[in-house]
Amino acid sequence: MFTALERTMMRRKVKSASVFSLVATLGVTLLGTDGSSAMAEATVAMPEAAAATTLETLAATDSNSVKSANAGSTKTFISQPVVQPLPVVEPAVAGTPRAGASLAELVADEPVPGKLDEQLRCLAGAIYFESKGEPLAGQLAVGRVIVARAESGRFPSSYCGVVYQRSQFSFVRGGKMPSINTSSNAWQKAKKLAMIAHEGAWESAAEGALFFHARYVSPRWKNRMTRLAQIDNHIFYR
């Protein structure tokens, strides 16, 4: 059994413990409340600050990106004339026959050449002097013989060389061609046929021939040749 003094001391200790317990509880409660409030404010404040920082960063990045894009996409325009391409007209290729209903139509459609160069003048002159009184086919055949000789490798390589070769064409006298009546229709026709023969625009009936003679003569060399055709007053061989 406790004495009266001991019971009094125990009651005092219980009261002190209760007081201390109460104070401790209040302190924890107050600290917990304040702490929660501070944490809540910090929690709210942090996203706002982060958001503000993020927005500033994005704005700066966008600005820099726009500047970089503008700098990278800057183009320098130089004024230059615009030239429309013209349609390409293919030149006539030698050796390619032209389309046409007849040699007569081809000759009629062929423009009369202006001033001929030396080689074409030699070709036209040979056609004129050798066959001006013959049909178009005969005149063309004479012209094609001269072209074939120049391309054969067996005769001079130019038209003038072929025409002026010694003892080949009877109209050549002393290495010269007689004067030509350049205002005549025969000469205009001979010039057209020279262009057609030169371009190979029409296949001759004696295509490939390298020799010919008038039918009223009979040269010895003809027996060594292959006869190809007779066109009016001339017989053609290769």
Side-chain angles (χ1 to χ4, degrees):
M1 293 297 292
F2 296 100
T3 64
L5 178 59
E6 288 175 341
R7 286 197 295 271
T8 300
M9 291 297 294
M10 289 182 64
R11 283 196 296 268
R12 288 178 179 174
K13 288 181 181 180
V14 171
K15 288 181 180 180
S16 296
S18 299
V19 171
F20 285 128
S21 175
L22 179 59
V23 170
T25 301
L26 289 174
V28 171
T29 303
L30 290 173
L31 287 174
T33 304
D34 291 342
S36 298
S37 176
M39 288 297 293
E41 290 175 357
T43 302
V44 172
M46 283 298 292
E48 292 177 351
T53 303
T54 303
L55 288 175
E56 291 176 357
T57 303
L58 288 174
T61 302
D62 289 344
S63 177
N64 292 334
S65 298
V66 170
K67 290 179 181 177
S68 298
N70 289 338
S73 62
T74 300
K75 296 182 180 178
T76 302
F77 293 93
I78 301 175
S79 177
Q80 293 182 348
V82 178
V83 181
Q84 283 289 95
L86 296 175
V88 177
V89 179
E90 295 294 334
V93 179
T96 304
R98 295 185 209 161
S102 67
L103 177 58
E105 288 186 10
L106 182 61
V107 172
D109 292 340
E110 180 76 19
V112 177
K115 185 178 180 179
L116 298 175
D117 63 27
E118 181 185 12
Q119 298 302 317
L120 287 173
R121 186 177 177 85
C122 285
L123 178 58
I127 294 172
Y128 178 81
F129 286 112
E130 282 289 339
S131 58
K132 62 184 176 183
E134 296 190 17
L136 294 176
Q139 294 184 61
L140 176 63
V142 168
R144 288 298 294 167
V145 166
I146 295 167
V147 172
R149 283 191 175 192
E151 294 176 348
S152 69
R154 297 169 56 185
F155 295 87
S157 59
S158 68
Y159 298 155
C160 289
V162 169
V163 170
Y164 290 115
Q165 188 177 14
R166 188 175 179 178
S167 302
Q168 294 299 308
F169 292 93
S170 59
F171 67 87
V172 176
R173 298 278 192 249
K176 295 181 180 180
M177 189 180 292
S179 60
I180 298 171
N181 180 5
T182 56
S183 63
S184 66
N185 289 332
W187 175 241
Q188 306 309 313
K189 192 180 297 182
K191 290 196 295 182
K192 289 184 175 187
L193 286 163
M195 293 301 300
I196 293 170
H198 168 67
E199 295 173 357
W202 192 268
E203 187 172 307
S204 166
E207 195 67 32
L210 292 172
F211 306 91
F212 65 87
H213 65 79
R215 67 180 179 179
Y216 53 82
V217 298
S218 182
R220 289 192 299 269
W221 54 258
K222 72 174 184 177
N223 297 323
R224 303 191 304 270
M225 306 295 171
T226 300
R227 178 170 169 159
L228 296 180
Q230 177 177 337
I231 305 173
D232 198 48
N233 192 44
H234 286 97
I235 302 173
F236 295 86
Y237 303 84
R238 70 161 176 253

